[in-house]
């Protein structure tokens, strides 16, 4: 997926990549293994394939959304691996046209989100305390959660092309406005909560390319 995020040249002529370790505590330096054996931890998955989503696939997905007048459609949903099959990570494309109004803050019970802005600029309201909470219908991509129209203490955050935004599960967030047509790619991590799982591989991308580690 890094190939889809970075199509330009790095300043030093090489490849610039950002990796996200969701649910992993990152230390300041590598720590030695507590026990060098076994090589594979009991109950963990070591056979899941990687999925590559090309820039062309993202653009085609965006065009199909525009034709259908849709603003948020998942591209794919895959298993995260590790010690459980009950956690997934999904990729969606999100479009925010200028002048679009959004009434509700969203609060996801068990899903964290990462936004990467591909084009455009806009403002989101983040955090605060929702004063008119209500449960919302279950979302295929985001599972169970709540919503509200007022958040005391929410802060305005502007994001533009090239910016990334990480929103933890349980944090209120609302797209406030677009200064221009804004095009984002969202990666939503479904954690192990009460949310029902979406079908693995749903959306327009099904195993575009696989790379499996063998040991």
């Amino acid at each position: 997926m890094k190939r889809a995020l970075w199509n330009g040249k790095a300043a030093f002529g090489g490849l610039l990549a950002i990796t996200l370790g969701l649910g992993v505590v990152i230390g300041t330096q590598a720590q030695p293994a507590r026990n060098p054996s076994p090589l594979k931890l009991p109950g963990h998955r070591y056979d899941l394939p990687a999925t590559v989503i090309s820039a062309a696939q993202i653009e085609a997905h965006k065009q199909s959304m525009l034709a259908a007048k849709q603003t948020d459609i998942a591209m794919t949903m895959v298993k995260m691996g590790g010690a459980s099959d009950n956690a997934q990570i999904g990729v969606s494309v999100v479009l925010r046209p200028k002048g679009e109004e959004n009434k509700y803050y969203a609060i996801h019970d068990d899903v964290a989100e990462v936004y990467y802005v591909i084009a455009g600029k806009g403002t989101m309201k983040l955090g605060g305390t929702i004063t008119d909470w209500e449960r919302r219908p279950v979302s295929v991509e985001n599972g169970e959660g709540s919503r509200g129209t007022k958040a005391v203490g929410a802060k305005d955050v502007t994001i533009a092309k090239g910016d990334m935004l990480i929103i933890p599960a349980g944090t209120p967030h609302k797209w406030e406005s677009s200064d221009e047509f804004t095009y984002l790619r969202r990666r939503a991590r479904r954690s192990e909560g009460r949310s029902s799982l979406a079908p693995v591989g749903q959306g327009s991308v099904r195993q575009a390319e696989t790379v499996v580690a063998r040991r």
Side-chain angles (χ1 to χ4, degrees), residues 114-138:
V114 179
Y115 286 85
Y116 177 79
V117 185
I118 299 174
K121 179 183 177 182
T123 301
M124 292 191 74
K125 285 188 173 293
L126 302 170
T129 301
I130 302 295
T131 59
D132 56 348
W133 279 48
E134 65 178 15
R135 298 300 291 180
R136 59 163 174 76
V138 176

Side-chain angles (χ1 to χ4, degrees), residues 157-199:
V157 175
T158 298
I159 52 177
K161 181 179 179 180
D163 291 340
M164 296 186 74
L165 173 65
I166 301 173
I167 305 175
T171 297
H173 55 283
K174 181 178 80 162
W175 187 263
E176 182 70 1
S177 62
S178 297
D179 296 337
E180 53 188 289
F181 185 88
T182 305
Y183 170 23
L184 307 101
R185 182 174 174 216
R186 183 185 70 190
R187 288 184 278 186
R189 180 241 174 134
R190 183 185 300 280
S191 61
E192 293 186 67
R194 297 178 301 158
S195 302
S196 58
L197 297 175

Side-chain angles (χ1 to χ4, degrees), residues 73-153:
I73 299 180
M75 292 192 71
T76 192
M77 185 75 73
V78 299
K79 293 181 179 181
M80 285 187 64
S84 174
D85 276 347
N86 295 326
Q88 298 176 333
I89 185 168
V91 176
S92 299
V93 172
V94 181
L95 307 177
R96 293 292 180 256
K98 183 176 180 178
E100 180 184 70
E101 295 184 357
N102 180 26
K103 179 180 179 181
Y104 290 106
Y105 285 85
I107 305 97
H108 309 313
D109 292 341
D110 298 298
V111 171
E113 295 182 318
V114 179
Y115 286 85
Y116 177 79
V117 185
I118 299 174
K121 179 183 177 182
T123 301
M124 292 191 74
K125 285 188 173 293
L126 302 170
T129 301
I130 302 295
T131 59
D132 56 348
W133 279 48
E134 65 178 15
R135 298 300 291 180
R136 59 163 174 76
V138 176
S139 164
V140 174
E141 289 86 7
N142 296 321
E144 297 182 1
S146 303
R147 65 185 181 186
T149 63
K150 300 176 183 178
V152 177

